[in-house]
Amino acid sequence: MSHVLEIRQLTKKFGDFVAVDNMSLNVREGEIFGFLGANGAGKSTTINMIASLLRVTKGEINLLGKNIEKHSKFAKMNIGIVPQDIAIYEDMTAYENVRFFAGLYGLRGSLLRERTEEALEFVGLGDKSKSYPKNFSGGMKRRLNIACAIAHRPKLIIMDEPTVGIDPHSRNYILNSVRKLNDMGCTIIYTSHYMEEVEEICTRIAIVDHGKVIAEGSKEQLKAIITDTKEIWIGIRTDEPLNLQALKAIAGVTAVLQEENTIKIVSKAEINNLNRIIQQLIKDQVEIRSVEEQAPNLETVFLTLTGRNLRD
Amino acid sequence: MNIWNIAVKEIKSSLREKRTFMFMLALPLILMLILGSALSNAFDDTRTVGDMRLLYKSDGTNEQVSTGWHAFITAIENEGVEVVQAGPGTDGNEEVRADRYTGYAVVSDDGIEFYGSSKNAIGSNILAGMLTVFADRYSLASAAYQVDPETALATITTAGQNDEFIRETTLHPNKKPRSIDYYAMAMTTMIGLYAMINASYLFSGERTNKTAIRLMAAPVSKGAIFTGKVIGCTVINLFFVLVVFLVSKFVFQADWGNHYGMVILVLLTEVVLAVSLGLGISFLFKGEGIRAINNIFTQVASFAGGAYFPIDQSGGFISLLSNFSPLHWVNTGLMQIIYTDNPTGAWFAITMNVSFATAFIIFSVFTVRRREGAFV
Ligand SMILES: Nc1ncnc2c1ncn2[C@@H]1O[C@H](COP(=O)(O)OP(=O)(O)OP(=O)(O)O)[C@@H](O)[C@H]1O
Ligand SMILES: [Mg+2]
């Protein structure tokens, strides 16, 4: 299977701070490649290097077999980026926005017109082409943000959290668009904080933490990491942060995390330690409201591997 | 081609913004009318240029100079300037301050020192202009003197006798600006300076808008983006300036002299200077800092450069400050063109504009090239 994108020993430093640390990964043709990581994991930094927005400190990135620094124009022509922040001109109509950016990719005349209309149609803004984005809802702006990235028909589309802060309708629309783009032959890199989204649409996933890929594979492969793991959620009455060090010391427990009035505990499945956990909480005078064991999902994988929640 | 796309986009965006129209067209034209009519009495009170009185003292021992000087005096007396030699013990500066003379000149072998009246700014500007021409001649002559005294002497004397000093500045004794003329010029140049505000958002705007990301991700060089934006911004601001200029000329009937080409060249270089100044500021400061510097600079430069009223050049803080205002040299240059009918009088302004513009552009290009992702 051919690789659309090869990242080899990629490092990015900001001063002394290492944001991306010797990262290697491949994205194959036709994939929807999920990029999962907590805030500050280095997702955007990696993406920005792929899109030539940041210089590479060390290592290399190849797009369709060509080094992106040596073949900068080629790389840029074949990449479409949907930035994390909405990047559109409020004082230009939806149509003018798409046409302007597509024009930067060398499209002219009737082809430019066609592609612009096609992109707007694709994100469901065909009837809004003459409207100004300042009157758009968050979801519509996100969709326009996507249209601006696809009109030049890139081989690789990079989406950096394209569904942040929007209504469920727009979100579904966007997820469907991603699938449709993929069906049309685009390879997609998709980052998100929403585990369900990634589980739903990505064919392969990399989990990034502290600038490193700590796990990579299909969701089945990733879940296989945690077949010997269970996740217990304990509902408590308070949402004050508690000191949970004692729980971590209990045999089998690999990660403990409090999220408002839920304590999430990841533990080895074969060790029966639920009693000890509950005893500890009673001893700490924590009022328990519920206890449930979760079916392992990507969230568990993430928690197991990083000891942290995906979302803050 | 992309340069063109980017420039056109810039122009379109500006034309679409109602605020820009208010600010760049309505505001200067309204101010022009208000100040022009409200202050017209103040302007009518100033003396006519025909009333110019020059007091002088000659310390020179050099014969060439004094021969030249006397020829010069005769020539300007013929043009209606009253010339009086200061008696011993006269305090020339005091005489001017007391408004008995338009200016006081001390002629020595080293050159001419001139002290002009602030009460008759136009008159003293014209006197200063004529003296400058004389001084130029004189130093030319003294340079020539070292080679050939005969020719040098000839230069000075012939010059004087032929009224050449005067013809060079072609004095119109009764020509003086009405207040509408003054404010037509002052407001037009003020709007030219305001181009810096627009320019300072050229890149910082893309940064806050996040659209810089798209520009940088597109297969377009930083150079093309930079050039396109600068051209677009210059064109649109020059357009505003020219509209104000044309309305003031044809609707308000303001006097812009006879050398429109030169006037437009001064305005063009002023806009280029303002645009590059704005760019420089946008790379030196961030966010609120850009806005603050813009506000302070445009206000102080407008005030000190004579946008609201002519600045007293006789000394003091404001006149010192005015030297740092581009409007000061631009307005002085335009006055030379309009009121002394001397198209070359603005070369100083043009040179200043172009030099500062070049410096700021070089600085900006350097920053853009060096900065990672340029403006992301
Ligand atoms: N220009 C920069 N200068 C210095 N540090 C930076 C810069 N850009 C990012 N960083 C740091 O690098 C780290 C990785 O940031 P990055 O934006 O890549 O994270 P992310 O995974 O995209 O997070 P998020 O989910 O919040 O978008 C963070 O700690 C961030 O503070
Ligand atoms: Mg990010």
Side-chain angles (χ1 to χ4, degrees), chain A residues 5-230:
Chain A
L5 184 73
E6 297 163 323
I7 295 179
R8 289 204 212 299
Q9 296 170 341
L10 183 67
T11 297
K12 177 68 193 180
K13 290 185 187 169
F14 295 109
D16 285 338
F17 179 76
V18 183
V20 175
D21 191 1
N22 205 24
M23 181 190 286
S24 295
L25 64 91
N26 294 322
V27 177
R28 299 174 199 140
E29 186 166 359
E31 280 187 324
I32 302 180
F33 189 86
F35 221 41
L36 269 180
N39 288 117
K43 304 181 296 288
S44 296
T45 306
T46 308
I47 282 171
N48 288 343
M49 282 189 283
I50 300 170
S52 306
L53 299 170
L54 286 175
R55 276 179 215 133
V56 169
T57 308
K58 244 170 65 193
E60 69 175 310
I61 303 173
N62 295 324
L63 183 84
L64 299 164
K66 291 185 181 173
N67 183 289
I68 62 157
E69 284 172 301
K70 291 198 193 101
H71 302 91
S72 157
K73 188 152 185 176
F74 170 83
K76 287 173 163 190
M77 287 295 282
N78 286 293
I79 290 179
I81 183 162
V82 180
Q84 179 164 358
D85 302 296
I86 294 172
I88 51 180
Y89 296 110
E90 301 260 316
D91 58 354
M92 285 163 55
T93 64
Y95 182 87
E96 288 169 326
N97 265 287
V98 178
R99 191 187 54 186
F100 173 69
F101 290 117
L104 297 180
Y105 289 81
L107 296 176
R108 297 283 177 267
S110 59
L111 186 62
L112 176 60
R113 230 174 6 250
E114 266 167 44
R115 294 284 174 84
T116 303
E117 281 160 12
E118 175 189 286
L120 282 166
E121 214 49 69
F122 187 84
V123 298
L125 290 175
D127 55 339
K128 294 277 186 243
S129 63
K130 290 208 172 64
S131 310
Y132 289 89
K134 54 176 169 264
N135 306 320
F136 283 6
S137 70
M140 287 160 79
K141 285 186 190 178
R142 286 270 165 207
R143 274 141 64 190
L144 179 57
N145 201 33
I146 294 175
C148 291
I150 60 173
H152 62 284
R153 292 195 179 167
K155 286 261 178 2
L156 176 67
I157 299 174
I158 306 174
M159 298 184 156
D160 199 352
E161 312 206 12
T163 57
V164 169
I166 60 172
D167 56 288
H169 172 74
S170 281
R171 170 187 296 226
N172 281 336
Y173 202 105
I174 289 178
L175 291 183
N176 282 333
S177 315
V178 173
R179 283 201 199 90
K180 239 162 64 190
L181 282 168
N182 186 237
D183 290 342
M184 287 160 63
C186 292
T187 303
I188 290 156
I189 296 179
Y190 191 92
T191 83
S192 176
H193 275 163
Y194 301 104
M195 194 66 81
E196 321 81 67
E197 268 182 15
V198 173
E199 254 196 281
E200 193 182 327
I201 62 167
C202 293
T203 52
R204 223 152 53 88
I205 298 158
I207 295 179
V208 192
D209 199 36
H210 297 299
K212 286 194 163 91
V213 174
I214 55 173
E216 191 186 340
S218 66
K219 44 187 180 250
E220 290 73 25
Q221 287 169 325
L222 289 178
K223 282 182 189 166
I225 300 174
I226 52 160
T227 44
D228 61 342
T229 303
K230 63 182 174 191

Side-chain angles (χ1 to χ4, degrees), chain B residues 13-49:
Chain B
S13 293
S14 298
L15 286 179
R16 219 166 250 184
E17 181 132 25
K18 286 193 199 72
R19 270 211 325 262
T20 316
F21 273 88
M22 283 300 295
F23 199 64
M24 300 298 281
L25 291 182
L27 177 83
L29 290 173
I30 289 168
L31 277 179
M32 211 179 268
L33 275 182
I34 294 176
L35 293 173
S37 53
L39 300 179
S40 64
N41 287 339
F43 272 76
D44 287 344
D45 272 355
T46 56
R47 311 190 165 179
T48 63
V49 174

